Amino acid sequence: MASFSPLIADDLAVNTIRTLAADVVGKANSGHPGAPMGMAPAAHVLFTRFFNANPKNSKWFNRDRFVLSNGCALQYILLHLLGYKLTMDDLKQFRQIGSKTPGHPEAGHTDGIEVTTGPLGQGISSAVGLAIAQAHFAAVYNKEGFDLINNYTYVFTGDGCLMEGVSSEAASLAGHLKLGNLIVVYDDNHISIDGDTAAAFTENVEARFLAYGWQVLHVDDGDHDLAGIHNAIAEARKEKEKPTIIRLRTTIGYGSKLEGTHGVHGAPLKADDIASLKTKFNFPADKTFYVPDETYKIYSDVVVRGADLEAKWNDLLAAYGRKYPNEHAELTRRISGELPAGWESFLPVYTPADPAQASRKLSEIVLAAVYPKIPDLIGGSADLTGSNLTRVKGHKDFQHPSTGLGDYSGTYIRYGVREHAMGAIANGLAAYGGIVPYIGTFLNFVSYAAGAVRLSALSGHQVIWVATHDSIGLGEDGPTHQPVETLAHFRATPNIDVWRPADGNETSAAYLVALRSKTTPSILSLSRQNLPNLEGSTIEKASKGGYVVHEEEGEDLTIVSCGSEVSIVLEAASKLKAEGIKTRVVSLPSWSVFDRQEESYKLSVLRSGAPILSVEALSTLGWQKYSHEQYGLKAWGSSGPYQKVYEHFGITGSNLAVVGKKIVDFYKKKGIPVVSPLDKAIHL
Amino acid sequence: MASFSPLIADDLAVNTIRTLAADVVGKANSGHPGAPMGMAPAAHVLFTRFFNANPKNSKWFNRDRFVLSNGCALQYILLHLLGYKLTMDDLKQFRQIGSKTPGHPEAGHTDGIEVTTGPLGQGISSAVGLAIAQAHFAAVYNKEGFDLINNYTYVFTGDGCLMEGVSSEAASLAGHLKLGNLIVVYDDNHISIDGDTAAAFTENVEARFLAYGWQVLHVDDGDHDLAGIHNAIAEARKEKEKPTIIRLRTTIGYGSKLEGTHGVHGAPLKADDIASLKTKFNFPADKTFYVPDETYKIYSDVVVRGADLEAKWNDLLAAYGRKYPNEHAELTRRISGELPAGWESFLPVYTPADPAQASRKLSEIVLAAVYPKIPDLIGGSADLTGSNLTRVKGHKDFQHPSTGLGDYSGTYIRYGVREHAMGAIANGLAAYGGIVPYIGTFLNFVSYAAGAVRLSALSGHQVIWVATHDSIGLGEDGPTHQPVETLAHFRATPNIDVWRPADGNETSAAYLVALRSKTTPSILSLSRQNLPNLEGSTIEKASKGGYVVHEEEGEDLTIVSCGSEVSIVLEAASKLKAEGIKTRVVSLPSWSVFDRQEESYKLSVLRSGAPILSVEALSTLGWQKYSHEQYGLKAWGSSGPYQKVYEHFGITGSNLAVVGKKIVDFYKKKGIPVVSPLDKAIHL
């Protein structure tokens, strides 16, 4: 890299970003002008001098990834200047309904946004996933003379992101994994919403990242020292065995009358301040959204460079294809986002004659069957591998080779006890492309990662949670580990498929739909304890999210259930039948998938005519949507051998038969026709 | 502190703990023997030589607090040896239903347990709250010659807890706050469930804690070096300006054939291994649950010392009362857990003539009114003070005096952007006693703290979340910040009162019930936008959790709603009335509180006879419990000015009137009597 001499045009461009930030936030009358104004120099140097991407094809696979962890208007301004599909009018629509420029950047919504940011700590953590993905693709596909996958992941982050625990988890793991392709620029502006960071954040951030095993650099005058920024990024790129964090001392809202205070953090600049800012930078004070031609010119050079880079890369890829046709075929298939044809045929199928097994074990059997067919699968667990059963025969760990424990071609990640970072990293892995991450922990501890799970769903990242030990059925660990509220939480989250399979075929169905759902994350809620294979379950039926597992004509009662309780409910139905009460049983492994079926199908499964009782060993909240009566946990679980815990809470065939009879009597006595809970006026 | 010479009796006691751990876990055939066996020496030294507590009165206020962050059987064994209300039979009932010894220690369940642990990272983080509480009480009440509150908080923690982000957040804040009363012993045994920590956790923990501003000590042979452990704890106690972490190198499962491997982490030792262990330690191999008399003797000396300490402290407190009667009265009141008499009379009362205000502002008004009356209130925010409106006139920050920003007598904590630690620290503050913590963030980011919220509820800690910006009403920040699933999650959690007040009186009611609920946490879901004060709301009515805010006899429709949507629903009802459709409106600010009312009252509020429609600008999940039809958000929110976002989603008086009419027609056409959704066979 040649030495760097900033030009007048560079200063002009930097100030363009600053004044644009003031205008964008000012017009919206909402947003965060301070960080864009402070980080304009770093953004300018990074994007004009280092960033390898083709704005005209934001999906070019070997592009550098950029993550603005403290997601704000800066990214939109850059996307516009760089020539992504984001016009000046889009900037003027900042924070307006239906615009490409919502309050914080959303992946899948705006061209050029890699991962959703704004919720603090998520961006930098997902960036670790982006960096892992690059390292993995390079290890698998690069060959002598074919340095095909060699992009960097750049992150801008602020104090807020670094205070969040999720970023600590991710940074510790990134250091462990020696991700030399990850470069973080830390906007050390000493200001957060509450004011000076002296009030709450006085740790030595540099020393902390050194402790994680990172390279730590710093630039003392981030407001002006473009050459210093340039040199730091260049040095970061040279370090191949460690991630780098560059501490950049900046002035938040640089140029504003309120620069350096939290007054410019989250509120628009006043009109006179914007005018004064423009005057200070020799910009026309009466013009808004003004971009000098010289600035567009500098950025258009980036576009030319990017198009050229991609063209050369495409040539390289073609040559690679001639020399390594198999690898080429696999790589291009993965880039396309299609899974290998025919993988579905390897899903295990069961009959009632097959032995009872825990659904976590059934999940392991699926993974063992499909993993050799789908190299896109990257597994892992938050230190519960032997419990989640996420690591199968043939797996190699993703580790730096110096550890002797694996290498970067490995497809199993040891996340450590870091659920939240695991979720965020998985978002990054999915966002990179060509990877379907699955990640394991106890269902109860998916809640630790709620912030990341939400962004999987909002961003449409195909992340699969292998969430085992999913109820009181985990037994002895007791209430601290037994989920109660967890599935209500995730069932209420848009664009997540929660699956709670009852047996082998249903577990296969869960994976079938989860692996086909390219823009929807899934949570597979799996039992610790053994479950019998059901008469009447098939992959096809279960793939509808809900189906009749035991039919009775002219029923007195339908019981709807899922997961480990379905076999118990079938026992109850059998006992009720002996008493002359005809009881249908519906298995509803996935509410959201069932909701997507045709109305007539849904009404045939949960039909009118007899009361419907739901049974699940969790909170009953939400089951009212599918049933008239609900049985489940009223409060916390209990510590003990699981069979005894089930007995304690009355979730047994015998007790449910008593409950069922009570319900049948109640509705008979009422003497009113019983209408399906799905037969409603309003369907949102 | 005199120099320390370990006796034969000490070694015997240490090995007693080890063999007991093997027996306790062995009998339960479930649990974690390794950590207790490794940490037995540290536990023995701490409890016999340093720990100031009276096992016969586990609630003595100035007791040292002990937190076993990696919650396991070790704590039960110690409680038994120390003479707390935990018999040998209780140890034999480890992990059995209804026992005092569930899988992981639960506060409020077992005598002597300060905070619930097991879910990793929570214990050490809550301990920061315990330490803050001590520092605060000392600053407020200690006087020259009356060092009344001077206890330490001791924590044992393992690798798992230190990998969790929540502990990083809490440790950073503890360093910032210079909590010299906090002493953490880190069980550095190099093993987690997945095996050697070399696979995922290779950061330099000592350097990281130095970066946080902690004192860092270490003991290289934690298996044998009792004197070294003693000296380290003594040194930690001397450091008054920094928390201390002592890295103790131990062998997990010391004495087992599998010592030093993850084989002893989470599974019982085999019978022959237990026998060999006992033989190795010269214990009778055929005896189980064996405690030598010498060991009971050492621990009974602790009881004598503790009783003596408390007696002397009681004398000191009495003398303090004679010299400082006011402070004494306040302190003893706080210790008793009673709030000052008559505080309720300061709750603001509103009429419809009062101006519309945001419920976050109404919350601030309550806090400003009651804060001077209730010194027990310790406020704070995760860096959103100006948005949450949690800091009121007269507040001083809780800071180390050297910062110049406050002192330890301050009652407002700057938590930084650390929601999860904030939740866990608040649990510690509540667990200490005499403190009612309230903590602020956006509702959407309470989810970051889900792990801690769950333990508030499970442990019965009175923690109040001031959760503002509670819907699409936050407007411009958009989908990344607009909660959808959040309240379904917490409404499904046992023992949490979620409040979503509609106006001033309802906000006062929420505080009234939350402040009276000594063993239930509350989440106050508050609007960013202004809300009118309703005709017909009163504190008394809202305190029931639900009430008729607009009555109509012979109604065609009831609409049930809460929070910012109630006034919109009232507008819809008015429009419907103009069309001849009589519409009652029910405000349901707290489901759980409403659920606790008399059946007849509930059935009178949500009565049979006409369809009930629910309206909330969140996921509809769960509203089926209280309504026949539901209107809300189907998916994510949208970024824009809030009024436009409401319009976009059809949550307006006009559109809801259309929806309401459709529902009335639908049920008329159906021609079946409409029964209240609360009229059911099963009431869990």
Side-chain angles (χ1 to χ4, degrees), chain A residues 10 14-15 17-18 35-48 156 221-226 229 233 248 250 254 299:
Chain A
D10 287 312
V14 167
N15 291 332
I17 296 171
R18 287 173 169 144
M37 294 166 72
M39 288 296 276
H44 177 72
V45 171
L46 173 63
F47 283 98
T48 59
F156 285 4
D221 181 5
D223 296 330
H224 308 95
D225 186 5
L226 302 192
I229 294 168
I233 296 175
L248 191 67
T250 72
Y254 179 83
Y299 281 87

Side-chain angles (χ1 to χ4, degrees), chain B residues 351-393:
Chain B
T351 74
D354 290 310
Q357 297 197 82
S359 51
R360 61 179 172 139
K361 181 73 187 170
L362 295 163
S363 161
E364 182 189 33
I365 294 168
V366 171
L367 290 171
V370 302
Y371 152 76
K373 316 295 168 194
I374 310 179
D376 319 48
L377 287 169
I378 305 265
S381 165
D383 197 45
L384 285 168
T385 297
S387 299
N388 303 140
L389 303 177
T390 33
R391 193 174 192 272
V392 298
K393 202 180 156 200

Side-chain angles (χ1 to χ4, degrees), chain A residues 579-594:
Chain A
E579 297 184 51
I581 297 173
K582 291 195 277 185
T583 306
R584 294 167 77 231
V585 178
V586 169
S587 181
L588 204 66
S590 177
W591 296 8
S592 54
V593 175
F594 181 70

Side-chain angles (χ1 to χ4, degrees), chain B residues 201-540:
Chain B
F201 190 50
T202 52
E203 62 170 57
N204 183 332
V205 174
E206 294 194 34
R208 173 155 68 95
F209 276 80
L210 285 171
Y212 292 143
W214 287 49
Q215 173 177 232
V216 176
L217 306 174
H218 64 96
V219 177
D220 286 334
D221 180 5
D223 297 330
H224 308 94
D225 186 4
L226 302 191
I229 294 168
H230 186 278
N231 294 341
I233 296 176
E235 197 169 334
R237 288 162 55 105
K238 279 188 216 144
E239 171 59 69
K240 301 295 183 192
E241 305 271 308
K242 290 176 178 179
T244 295
I245 186 167
I246 302 166
R247 187 176 61 76
L248 191 68
R249 185 74 179 91
T250 71
T251 305
I252 191 169
Y254 180 82
S256 157
K257 293 177 182 174
L258 297 172
E259 67 175 27
T261 75
H262 72 289
V264 289
H265 178 284
L269 269 52
K270 294 211 165 60
D272 68 321
D273 194 4
I274 296 182
S276 131
L277 176 82
K278 290 178 181 173
T279 306
K280 201 178 292 181
F281 293 147
N282 289 316
F283 272 56
D286 57 336
K287 282 195 185 168
T288 57
F289 295 94
Y290 172 65
V291 179
D293 291 342
E294 297 92 319
T295 297
Y296 274 133
K297 173 68 177 64
I298 288 192
Y299 282 86
S300 72
D301 291 349
V302 176
V303 179
V304 172
R305 189 179 78 213
D308 184 51
L309 280 167
E310 184 182 357
K312 282 183 181 146
W313 188 83
N314 285 333
D315 291 344
L316 187 70
L317 181 65
Y320 179 84
R322 289 186 292 273
K323 191 154 181 192
Y324 303 104
N326 293 340
E327 289 84 346
H328 178 269
E330 188 176 87
L331 174 60
T332 50
R333 177 195 59 72
R334 289 178 70 171
I335 292 174
S336 79
E338 294 298 327
L339 294 186
W343 67 269
E344 298 94 334
S345 66
F346 296 92
L347 286 170
V349 178
Y350 298 83
T351 74
D354 290 310
Q357 297 197 82
S359 51
R360 61 179 172 139
K361 181 73 187 170
L362 295 163
S363 161
E364 182 189 33
I365 294 168
V366 171
L367 290 171
V370 302
Y371 152 76
K373 316 295 168 194
I374 310 179
D376 319 48
L377 287 169
I378 305 265
S381 165
D383 197 45
L384 285 168
T385 297
S387 299
N388 303 140
L389 303 177
T390 33
R391 193 174 192 272
V392 298
K393 202 180 156 200
H395 258 138
K396 178 167 66 177
D397 281 3
F398 178 90
Q399 296 278 5
H400 192 269
S402 66
T403 59
L405 300 170
D407 61 51
Y408 283 167
S409 74
T411 52
Y412 194 80
I413 298 175
R414 303 284 184 171
Y415 285 100
V417 191
R418 303 182 181 104
E419 297 84 3
H420 201 172
M422 178 169 72
I425 289 169
N427 288 343
L429 291 172
Y432 191 87
I435 290 174
V436 179
Y438 70 87
I439 49 182
T441 185
F442 285 2
L443 177 60
N444 193 52
F445 299 112
V446 181
S447 301
Y448 269 45
V453 173
R454 184 173 212 273
L455 291 198
S456 300
L458 179 58
S459 313
H461 294 317
Q462 185 180 17
V463 171
I464 300 174
W465 284 85
V466 179
T468 70
H469 296 64
D470 72 341
S471 74
I472 51 172
L474 74 78
E476 290 85 350
D477 269 316
T480 55
H481 287 51
Q482 291 167 351
V484 175
E485 73 288 8
T486 317
L487 291 192
H489 175 191
F490 296 119
R491 284 166 175 159
T493 308
N495 195 36
I496 292 183
D497 286 340
V498 172
W499 285 92
R500 194 159 179 264
D503 74 350
N505 290 331
E506 290 197 6
T507 304
S508 290
Y511 274 101
L512 176 69
V513 179
L515 286 169
R516 280 180 173 167
S517 300
K518 292 184 191 174
T519 57
T520 300
S522 300
I523 295 176
L524 313 189
S525 171
L526 302 167
S527 74
R528 178 192 184 207
Q529 73 273 27
N530 285 347
L531 310 178
N533 283 292
L534 307 176
E535 184 83 48
S537 79
T538 66
I539 294 178
E540 190 197 350

Side-chain angles (χ1 to χ4, degrees), chain A residues 420-501:
Chain A
H420 200 172
M422 178 169 72
I425 289 169
N427 287 343
L429 291 171
Y432 190 86
I435 290 174
V436 179
Y438 69 88
I439 49 184
T441 185
F442 284 3
L443 176 60
N444 192 52
F445 299 113
V446 181
S447 300
Y448 269 46
V453 173
R454 184 171 211 274
L455 291 198
S456 301
L458 179 59
S459 313
H461 295 317
Q462 186 178 18
V463 172
I464 300 174
W465 284 85
V466 179
T468 69
H469 296 65
D470 73 340
S471 75
I472 51 171
L474 73 77
E476 291 86 349
D477 268 316
T480 56
H481 287 52
Q482 291 167 351
V484 175
E485 73 287 7
T486 317
L487 291 192
H489 175 194
F490 296 120
R491 283 166 175 159
T493 308
N495 195 38
I496 292 182
D497 287 341
V498 171
W499 285 92
R500 192 157 181 264

Side-chain angles (χ1 to χ4, degrees), chain A residues 30 32 95-98 102-104 106 116-120 122 160 163-166 168-169 172-173 176 192-194 198-204 207-208 211-212 381 383-386 399 405 414-420 444-445 447-448 450-451 454 457-458 476-477 479-485 488-489 491-495 591 619-622 624-625 628-636 638-641 644-645 648 659 662-663 666 670 672-673 675 679-682 684, chain B residues 30 32 95-98 102-104 106 116-120 122 160 163-166 168-169 172-173 176 192-194 198-204 207-208 211-212 383-386 399 405 414-420 444-445 447-448 450-451 454 457-458 476-477 479-485 488-489 491-495 591 619-622 624-625 628-636 638-641 644-645 648 659 662-663 666-667 670 672-673 675 679-682 684:
Chain A
S30 173
H32 305 76
R95 297 189 159 216
Q96 304 305 309
I97 286 183
H104 300 276
E106 296 172 28
T116 302
T117 56
L120 295 175
Q122 299 295 332
M163 282 190 252
E164 290 283 6
V166 60
S168 295
E169 294 174 8
S172 175
L173 186 60
H176 168 74
S192 66
I193 294 180
D194 268 17
F201 190 49
T202 52
E203 62 169 57
N204 184 330
R208 173 155 68 96
Y212 293 143
S381 165
D383 197 46
L384 284 168
T385 296
Q399 296 278 6
L405 300 170
R414 303 284 183 171
Y415 285 100
V417 191
R418 302 182 181 104
E419 297 84 5
H420 200 172
N444 192 52
F445 299 113
S447 300
Y448 269 46
R454 184 171 211 274
L458 179 59
E476 291 86 349
D477 268 316
T480 56
H481 287 52
Q482 291 167 351
V484 175
E485 73 287 7
H489 175 194
R491 283 166 175 159
T493 308
N495 195 38
W591 296 8
S619 166
T620 59
L621 198 94
Q624 294 85 359
K625 182 175 175 185
H628 305 94
E629 302 280 337
Q630 297 78 36
Y631 198 87
L633 289 198
K634 186 181 176 177
W636 307 104
S638 181
S639 171
K644 295 205 171 167
V645 180
H648 179 72
V659 169
K662 188 174 167 190
I663 290 167
F666 179 85
K670 209 180 248 182
I672 300 172
V675 176
D679 182 10
K680 296 171 90 157
I682 304 294
L684 266 189
Chain B
S30 173
H32 305 77
R95 296 189 160 217
Q96 304 306 308
I97 288 182
H104 300 275
E106 297 172 27
T116 303
T117 57
L120 295 176
Q122 297 295 333
M163 282 190 251
E164 291 283 7
V166 60
S168 296
E169 295 175 5
S172 175
L173 187 59
H176 168 75
S192 65
I193 293 179
D194 268 17
F201 190 50
T202 52
E203 62 170 57
N204 183 332
R208 173 155 68 95
Y212 292 143
D383 197 45
L384 285 168
T385 297
Q399 296 278 5
L405 300 170
R414 303 284 184 171
Y415 285 100
V417 191
R418 303 182 181 104
E419 297 84 3
H420 201 172
N444 193 52
F445 299 112
S447 301
Y448 269 45
R454 184 173 212 273
L458 179 58
E476 290 85 350
D477 269 316
T480 55
H481 287 51
Q482 291 167 351
V484 175
E485 73 288 8
H489 175 191
R491 284 166 175 159
T493 308
N495 195 36
W591 296 9
S619 166
T620 59
L621 197 97
Q624 295 83 359
K625 184 175 174 185
H628 304 95
E629 301 281 338
Q630 298 78 36
Y631 197 87
L633 289 198
K634 187 182 175 175
W636 308 105
S638 182
S639 171
K644 296 204 170 167
V645 181
H648 179 72
V659 170
K662 188 174 167 193
I663 289 167
F666 180 87
Y667 284 82
K670 208 180 251 185
I672 298 173
V675 176
D679 182 10
K680 295 173 91 155
I682 304 293
L684 266 189

Side-chain angles (χ1 to χ4, degrees), chain A residues 118-119 164 183 257 266 280 292 321 395 454 458 525 565 572 656:
Chain A
E164 290 283 6
I183 297 172
K257 294 177 183 174
K280 201 178 294 182
H395 258 137
R454 184 171 211 274
L458 179 59
S525 170
E565 286 74 71
L656 292 175

Side-chain angles (χ1 to χ4, degrees), chain A residues 367 371 375-381 385 390-392 395-398 410-415 422 429 435-440 464 466:
Chain A
L367 290 170
Y371 151 76
D376 318 50
L377 287 170
I378 305 265
S381 165
T385 296
T390 33
R391 193 173 194 273
V392 298
H395 258 137
K396 178 166 65 177
D397 281 4
F398 178 90
T411 52
Y412 193 82
I413 299 176
R414 303 284 183 171
Y415 285 100
M422 178 169 72
L429 291 171
I435 290 174
V436 179
Y438 69 88
I439 49 184
I464 300 174
V466 179

